[in-house]
């Protein structure tokens, strides 16, 4: 079945370091791909999305490119801040169910230190 | 402000005592869904609804019920809660279509003792 695999955390970085969080997926058809962020004590917020191959989603300095050939959607940021500390979820929208189901990875916790 | 509102935020209950977690959205979204979040498992879909009176099971529907009598509301009902339903629950809504992401509520932390 469809699934999402994220790198395990926690990821610990110093402020201004480069961030990569790996995400790969398994899906039939052409899913839409998303990154969500969850700050402590809050719900999930959509960070960025891509709906077809080679699309690049970007927001708040974060980027991810939909790579169909490697079935990946890695999240990157050139210079992280302490305020980026959160849990990041990669997700795909399942095309087999009319895109009604969102399948999440297990989440990757990011901790950024001054 | 566009939002999904869940209530309550925190709930402690005893095994077998029926409870309802409410969810309401003010964005006129057709699609609503419930997820539970457990450590190491990410979020798993419980039920979803594509519109009024149209609901379907997600991946973990056992022990839960839902209803969609109005477009804005999508309550989650636990008829006889058990300790394995202790979890963090999120309601979410979106416009229909592959390109749209969800708007999530702030979550309900449920503890069943």
């Amino acid at each position: 079945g469809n699934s999402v695999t994220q790198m395990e955390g926690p990821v610990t970085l110093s402020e201004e370091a480069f961030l990569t969080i790996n995400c790969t997926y398994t899906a039939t058809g052409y899913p839409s791909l998303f990154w969500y962020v969850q700050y402590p004590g809050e719900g999930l917020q959509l960070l960025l999305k891509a709906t077809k191959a080679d699309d690049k989603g970007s927001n708040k300095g974060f980027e991810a490119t939909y790579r169909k050939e490697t079935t990946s959607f890695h999240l990157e940021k050139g210079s992280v801040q302490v305020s980026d500390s959160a849990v990041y979820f990669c997700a795909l929208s399942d095309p087999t169910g009319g895109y009604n189901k969102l399948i999440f990875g297990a989440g990757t916790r990011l901790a950024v230190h001054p | 402000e566009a939002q999904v509102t869940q209530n309550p935020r925190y709930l402690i209950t005893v095994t077998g005592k029926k409870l309802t977690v409410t969810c309401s959205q003010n964005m006129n979204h057709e699609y609503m869904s419930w997820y539970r979040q457990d450590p190491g498992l990410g979020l798993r879909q419980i039920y979803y609804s594509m519109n009024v009176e149209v609901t379907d099971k997600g991946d973990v529907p056992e022990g839960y019920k839902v209803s969609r009598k109005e477009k804005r509301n999508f309550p989650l009902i636990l008829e006889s809660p058990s300790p394995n339903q202790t979890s963090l629950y999120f309601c979410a809504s979106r416009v229909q279509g592959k390109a749209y992401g969800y708007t999530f509520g702030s979550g309900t932390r449920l503890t069943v003792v």
Side-chain angles (χ1 to χ4, degrees), chain A residues 32 36 49 99-101, chain B residues 31 50 59 94 98-99 102:
Chain A
S32 294
Y36 283 85
K49 66 182 180 184
Y99 299 95
N100 288 320
K101 177 185 284 190
Chain B
Y31 185 79
M50 290 182 283
D59 294 319
R94 68 173 177 86
K98 65 180 275 187
Y102 279 94

Side-chain angles (χ1 to χ4, degrees), chain A residues 6 30-34 36 38 41-46 49-52 66 87 89 93 97-107, chain B residues 9-10 31 33 35 37-38 40-45 48 50 57-59 88 90 94 96-107:
Chain A
Q6 290 179 238
Y30 300 92
S32 294
L33 301 174
F34 304 86
Y36 283 85
Q38 185 178 32
E42 297 184 13
L44 280 74
Q45 301 174 23
L46 179 63
K49 66 182 180 184
T51 58
K52 61 182 187 297
Y66 190 143
V87 180
F89 291 92
S93 185
Y99 299 95
N100 288 320
K101 177 185 284 190
L102 201 60
I103 297 170
F104 286 87
Chain B
R9 287 293 306 273
Y10 301 92
Y31 185 79
S33 185
Y35 287 85
Q37 182 180 16
D38 301 291
L41 296 177
L43 282 83
R44 295 177 292 169
Q45 190 179 47
Y48 65 92
M50 290 182 283
K57 297 178 181 178
D59 294 319
L88 180 58
F90 288 103
R94 68 173 177 86
Q96 286 279 37
K98 65 180 275 187
Y100 297 99
Y102 279 94
T103 300
F104 278 82
S106 299

Side-chain angles (χ1 to χ4, degrees), chain B residues 10-64:
Chain B
Y10 301 92
L11 179 60
I12 301 175
T13 190
V14 297
T15 299
K17 184 176 181 182
K18 181 179 178 180
L19 66 92
T20 299
V21 183
T22 64
C23 173
S24 180
Q25 51 94 3
N26 62 1
M27 296 163 283
N28 202 36
H29 286 171
E30 297 90 356
Y31 185 79
M32 298 184 74
S33 185
W34 277 101
Y35 287 85
R36 61 178 288 174
Q37 182 180 16
D38 301 291
L41 296 177
L43 282 83
R44 295 177 292 169
Q45 190 179 47
I46 303 170
Y47 269 94
Y48 65 92
S49 169
M50 290 182 283
N51 215 322
V52 176
E53 303 292 0
V54 182
T55 63
D56 207 348
K57 297 178 181 178
D59 294 319
V60 288
E62 294 77 19
Y64 304 96

Side-chain angles (χ1 to χ4, degrees), chain B residues 71-83:
Chain B
K71 197 171 188 178
R72 64 183 291 127
N73 295 324
F74 191 46
L76 180 69
I77 303 158
L78 284 72
E79 294 269 1
S80 183
S82 63

